[in-house]
Amino acid sequence: MTLAALASDFTRVLGDDSVITERAALRTYECDGLTAYRCIPGLVVLPRTTAQVSYVVRRCHEESVPFVARGSGTGLSGGALPMETGVLIVMSRMTNVRAVDIEDERAVVEPGVVNLELSRRAAPHGYFYAPDPSSQQVCSIGGNVAENSGGAHCLKYGFTAHHVTGLEVVLPDGTVEKLGGYAPDPVGYDLIGAFVGSEGTLGIATEVTVRLMRAPESVRTLLAAFRTMDDAGAAVSAIIGAGILPAAIEMMDALSIEAAEAAVACGYPAGAGAVLIVELDGPAAQVEADGSAVEDHCSAAGAFELRLAVDDAERAQVWRGRKSAFAAVGRISADYIVQDGVVPRTALAEVLGDIAALASSTGIRVANVFHAGDGNLHPLVLFDESKGETERAEEVSTRILELCLEHGGSITGEHGVGHDKKKQMSRMFTADDLDVMQLVRCAFDPASLCNPGKVFPTPRLCGERPGRRTGAHPLQEAGVADVF
Amino acid sequence: MSSDAVTVTPESTADLADAMRAVEADDARVSIRGAGTKQGWGALSRETSVVIETTRLARVIEHATGDLVLTVEAGARLTDVQNAVAAHGQRLALDPPERDATIGGVVASAASGPWRLRYGTPRDQLIGITVVLADGTIAKSGGKVVKNVAGYDLGKLFTGSFGTLGAIASVTVKLQPIPPAMRIVSVAADEPGAVWAAVARSTAEPTAVEWDGRTVHVLVEGAHAAVEAIASTLAGSLGTTTITDTLPATFGARPWSPGEIGIKLTHRLSALDTAVAALRRELPGARLSAHVGSGVVWAGWPVADVASARAAVEALRTVGSTVVVDAPFEVKQAVDVWGPVAAVSLMRRIKDQFDPDHRLNPGRFVDGI
Ligand SMILES: Cc1cc2nc3c(=O)[nH]c(=O)nc-3n(C[C@H](O)[C@H](O)[C@H](O)COP(=O)(O)OP(=O)(O)OC[C@H]3O[C@@H](n4cnc5c(N)ncnc54)[C@H](O)[C@@H]3O)c2cc1C
């Protein structure tokens, strides 16, 4: 069956305002937040209900047509990159908040609900939803589930995987399954754990149950300015080493401070080679105790200015520079690549030194903005396409990931593998590791139709076990025959 | 397992893979065990002729103290691990009461204790895992950094899998700093629901809230300068003055003894008292305890007759998911220990992918897996 025939089938069942076939309109969906990769989808559908998602997926499965889910399209690894020969299922119309049950500390939302909406709904009750990606004003909960998104505050609160207690998913054959719910510890394999972070390759989430948390009594945000990155790094090590667990520790280097100043005039201390934002939250007495310890550690490490935000307005001002940093580098560079790698926290200083050396040897500038508390780097590789620097910038960007791996880290801390980092997967994992991961894929999606070609460098044919038997012979299982 | 089962005790991941390949060559079925503290947990296993025991696969591979990350082989005892990392002021945030349990066993059974309120369960501590499949394939996922989204998370799938997907060879876990001070606020309560409601409304951020059937104990941890203030504010709102700085001996204990039946009932947080009432109604005289605020209630009682135990469990399943965790052989024979399971056909497909010949811990898991 052709895509055109599927389109008329979907139009009949979903209504014609839910199916897009015109090329100009399809173009809107040609890429996600990583605009370097583009592909105009064969067909776009915008379902409103689980039943509609299930119908679309079932028909795709019957016709062997690949499909890709898309949330808000803010992903930075090409995870929602569509296929010319496939259907793009856009979840942005499923935006109902189905329940906010404060006494159960749970909310139930459709996947198109925007991340920040959850905290907005919970706030009047004194609760919040912890995972707070910087894109939280636009990214969808469905996308967060797929990417296992984190945010600045995941140092204390963990990632999406720690906050999802229930899922309704449409499996790649169209079957609808409910996993978990309000109660903890669902019986059987941890399918929620397997699904969260699977980058849209194991099915489509159509409902998400999340944990809501009691808002902390006290929040204290400190901006500390240092002469050098090394000094700031030493302060981070001292804070963590002292057993203090801040909600967030973020670091910016001179170049990213310069960009943020140019963009939003955040007013960070002049002459800083690095700033740290350390946010503590919790019971007031605890925050008070940790707060003075953090200030002491920063001073001892050489901080030349400490600014304590005393109210929400000041806090917002401190965060403004950090939150605008990605977009802000546009002010100081024609083009840039946002990289996402992780190193053990104790290797930060060394890796940053290596990155600086790489930058000076290649002439490609790198601005560093990152989650220092958990070693998640976001180097911004600056270049000018019009000067033919693209290729060199890409080399620098790739080399940074290699540095992360050489220090025992990871090729991605939160943006995912998607289309972009498939190749690097085989540098981080062995062929056996990747084959075994794909056993999960084969259990969920044996036909390999659900967001195919993402995450894994070499797709594996399900049912094929190189050099292995595919299973017990039925007679053997019944105890009638033996292999030997 | 059969009485003449052969026991193999691998000393390295490579040994473990060899053992698996030998099992496959012999077309045998295997029981995988750590220290055996939960041999009574799960459904009854079908016959196996080999036991792979991990207790000699017990090295600490790496303790990155500055990173608060530990990589350890599966057979290391939790207690030994805690002692080793405590020397650096750190702890692994897992406190199931089975003192001799191995790390691999804790992960494979998803065992948790009071700390789960603050830190979560084994799935939340795990950042990397190395497993050996039934055909001897060695595979890892995750890594040794606390933040990492590269590839599928096999660690979560293996957590709570009761050895039915493969043997865990080693795990990498994150560690937490040991808070310098603690206070325990205690308040008598026949029903813990109202106490929980008050704790939930407070901003004390307790590490644990445990109910032992009579009293709710709230564990508050933090800086020396802070815990007294936090505890006394909390005590005030709970209407108690009992604040101590040592944990009661029964803190986190399972309410059953060897040879008795132990069950776990999970519930939505607002239904704590409903769950407790149902347990009292169906199991008069049973000992109860709860991980308050986590949605877990435990009950333990001696077996009088199997039929009434079965009837009680069936009745409780209308209230919440009820698992017969530990029970004597004759009870396990008669009762569906896991109860109804969502998406069980998908679980079967996962089992078929990982262990196509169904060699590993056959029958121990849900739906005969
Ligand atoms: C400025 C900026 C800042 C960012 N900051 C952060 C950050 O701090 N932390 C962080 O983790 N990420 C961050 N990101 C990345 C991105 O926002 C997250 O990955 C986010 O979770 C993606 O959500 P989305 O709705 O845009 O998903 P999309 O980009 O639409 O899709 C992402 C993936 O999810 C899949 N998917 C979408 N919906 C579903 C569904 N319902 N079921 C199954 N699969 C689905 C898609 O197939 C795709 O593979 C940032 C991005 C930008 C542009």
Side-chain angles (χ1 to χ4, degrees), chain A residues 32-33 68-76 78-81 91 111-112 132-135 138-152 195 199-201 203-206 322 326 371 378 413-415 451 454, chain B residues 147:
Chain A
D32 62 8
V68 177
R70 177 185 167 109
S72 304
T74 67
L76 290 172
L81 184 70
M91 304 302 290
D132 60 339
S134 309
S135 50
V138 275
C139 67
S140 73
I141 294 294
N144 292 173
V145 166
E147 300 290 342
N148 188 17
S149 295
F195 192 93
E199 304 195 28
T201 62
I204 301 185
T206 47
R322 166 63 185 90
F326 284 10
H371 310 299
H378 286 312
E414 53 186 21
H415 296 167
N451 209 4
K454 308 288 167 66
Chain B
K147 197 170 181 188

Side-chain angles (χ1 to χ4, degrees), chain A residues 436-473:
Chain A
V436 172
M437 288 181 194
Q438 291 195 74
L439 295 176
V440 181
R441 174 71 185 261
C442 291
F444 276 80
D445 181 23
S448 206
L449 292 173
C450 186
N451 209 4
K454 308 288 167 66
V455 184
F456 297 101
T458 335
R460 158 188 228 288
L461 284 182
C462 298
E464 166 201 281
R465 292 174 78 82
R468 304 170 194 168
R469 288 198 306 275
T470 45
H473 189 280

Side-chain angles (χ1 to χ4, degrees), chain B residues 288-330:
Chain B
L288 306 182
S289 74
H291 298 313
V292 177
S294 294
V296 179
V297 188
W298 304 90
W301 73 101
V303 195
D305 76 296
V306 172
S308 61
R310 186 169 65 187
V313 168
E314 292 305 328
L316 289 167
R317 287 192 170 138
T318 63
V319 178
S321 168
T322 305
V323 174
V324 178
V325 174
D326 203 350
F329 181 81
E330 65 276 14

Side-chain angles (χ1 to χ4, degrees), chain A residues 252-338:
Chain A
M252 291 169 71
D253 70 0
L255 201 50
S256 48
I257 296 169
E258 179 194 326
E261 288 298 348
V264 297
C266 47
Y268 288 173
V275 293
L276 279 187
I277 299 172
V278 184
E279 190 156 283
L280 297 160
D281 71 20
Q286 182 65 40
V287 168
E288 190 67 33
D290 286 345
S292 47
V294 165
E295 287 174 30
D296 292 348
H297 289 301
C298 286
S299 301
F304 68 87
E305 187 172 335
L306 298 178
R307 264 188 220 166
L308 192 63
V310 296
D311 55 26
D312 284 349
E314 286 190 22
R315 185 170 3 270
Q317 180 66 12
V318 166
W319 276 107
R320 231 153 88 87
R322 166 63 185 90
K323 290 200 168 167
S324 68
F326 284 10
V329 294
R331 298 290 184 110
I332 59 165
S333 178
D335 305 286
Y336 62 97
I337 300 170
V338 181

